[in-house]
């Protein structure tokens, strides 16, 4: 794997991102994105080798998120949301727009675009899906399909007040620099848990969101 300084070798503009994404992202959702009995390639236990889920029910909900790469100049950015404190799960956390895959969703990409519009007001016409990251298993029972997409500028947002406190952007160059990927520890359900965290100003990006960002880095910027 390249040294962290390799981040300086990239421009982090959206044409470079698009070229690398088309070469390195998954073109189709892997089987473990459909079959929940299979082990996901990535998940909340990436930094906890040997950890296992308590039972098969813990991985029983399919979901999708949009990983929106905004075509800012001179460098691209990643759009994220801050969830409201009133939500029953993951309250106040930084997240990608997304949610459960509904029966009416044609596929994971359709779910991600629908959820992004419902949560943030980002219209599908601005979004160009490029491919997928590895399915990601959360400790809270979701098998998440991250859908990576380019987003044209000029969009207007209208965050859903019952779900989203804020929508903000972080420079791609910051999130794709391994020097900004902290490894932190907390005790969860009586066990010590290790996870990625990527603080940006007063925004604390961690957990599944940080894990998926790390997967994006591994696929596009860390692989030979």
């Amino acid at each position: 794997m390249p040294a962290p300084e390799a981040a300086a070798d990239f421009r982090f503009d959206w044409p470079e991102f698009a070229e690398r994404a088309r070469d390195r992202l998954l073109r189709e959702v892997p089987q473990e994105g459909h079959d929940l009995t299979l082990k996901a390639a990535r998940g909340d236990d990436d930094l906890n080798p040997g950890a296992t889920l308590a039972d098969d029910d813990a991985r029983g909900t399919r979901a999708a998120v949009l990983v929106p790469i905004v075509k800012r100049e001179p460098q691209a950015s990643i759009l994220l949301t801050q969830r409201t404190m009133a939500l029953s799960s993951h309250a106040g956390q930084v997240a990608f727009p997304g949610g459960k895959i509904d029966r009416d969703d044609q596929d994971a990409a359709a779910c991600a675009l629908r959820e992004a519009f419902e949560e943030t007001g980002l219209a599908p016409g601005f979004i160009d899906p490029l491919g997928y990251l590895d399915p990601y298993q959360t400790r809270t029972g979701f098998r998440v399909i991250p859908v990576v997409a380019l987003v044209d500028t000029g969009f207007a947002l209208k965050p859903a007040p019952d779900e989203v406190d804020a929508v903000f952007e972080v420079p791609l160059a910051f999130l794709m620099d391994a020097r900004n990927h902290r490894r932190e520890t907390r005790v969860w359900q009586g066990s010590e848990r290790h996870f990625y965290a990527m603080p940006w100003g007063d925004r604390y990006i961690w957990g599944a969101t940080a894990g998926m960002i790390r997967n994006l880095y591994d696929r596009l910027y860390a692989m030979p």
Side-chain angles (χ1 to χ4, degrees), residues 5 41 90 129-130 152:
E5 289 75 16
H90 308 293
L130 300 177
D152 291 327

Side-chain angles (χ1 to χ4, degrees), residues 2-220:
E5 289 75 16
D9 297 335
F10 300 105
R11 299 189 310 270
F12 296 108
D13 58 24
W14 69 263
E16 176 189 69
F17 179 89
E19 181 179 357
R20 299 185 72 80
R22 292 189 173 102
D23 286 342
R24 297 169 178 246
L25 291 178
L26 299 169
R27 307 311 304 161
E28 297 181 356
V29 177
Q31 188 59 31
E32 66 265 27
H34 305 286
D35 185 348
L36 302 182
T37 66
L38 300 176
K39 180 178 174 58
R42 302 299 290 255
D44 285 346
D45 287 325
D46 282 356
L47 298 181
N48 300 282
T52 58
L53 295 174
D55 52 56
D56 290 340
D57 293 336
R59 53 176 136 242
T61 303
R62 295 178 66 239
V65 298
L66 186 70
V67 181
I69 311 299
V70 184
K71 294 160 68 171
R72 300 294 183 195
E73 298 288 354
Q75 293 185 330
S77 62
I78 297 184
L79 185 145
L80 294 160
T81 70
Q82 185 94 39
R83 294 164 61 86
T84 70
M85 294 301 298
L87 292 172
S88 59
S89 62
H90 308 293
Q93 292 187 12
V94 172
F96 288 117
K100 298 177 183 178
I101 298 178
D102 289 346
R103 187 172 300 176
D104 294 337
D105 291 322
Q106 182 177 0
D107 52 24
C111 170
L113 268 64
R114 173 183 59 78
E115 288 281 351
F117 180 69
E118 292 174 359
E119 292 181 11
T120 71
L122 179 61
F126 288 89
I127 303 171
D128 177 20
L130 300 177
Y132 304 94
L133 296 176
D134 299 285
Y136 188 99
Q137 181 65 47
T138 74
R139 274 266 155 185
T140 51
F142 291 94
R143 181 68 57 86
V144 183
I145 308 300
V147 181
V148 181
L150 285 176
V151 178
D152 291 327
T153 57
F155 55 82
L157 298 179
K158 188 178 180 181
D162 57 338
E163 293 187 67
V164 176
D165 270 344
V167 182
F168 62 98
E169 296 177 29
V170 180
L172 179 68
F174 176 86
L175 292 175
M176 294 298 102
D177 188 335
R179 292 169 293 191
N180 298 320
H181 299 179
R182 298 185 187 177
R183 298 189 179 201
E184 300 190 355
T185 303
R186 291 184 183 179
V187 175
W188 188 73
Q189 294 186 349
S191 299
E192 191 175 73
R193 310 288 301 171
H194 306 283
F195 56 90
Y196 287 109
M198 305 164 187
W200 167 253
D202 60 352
R203 308 290 186 184
Y204 185 62
I205 306 166
W206 72 290
T209 302
M212 286 182 264
I213 291 171
R214 178 69 186 199
N215 186 201
L216 183 68
Y217 165 80
D218 288 341
R219 278 200 162 271
L220 269 64

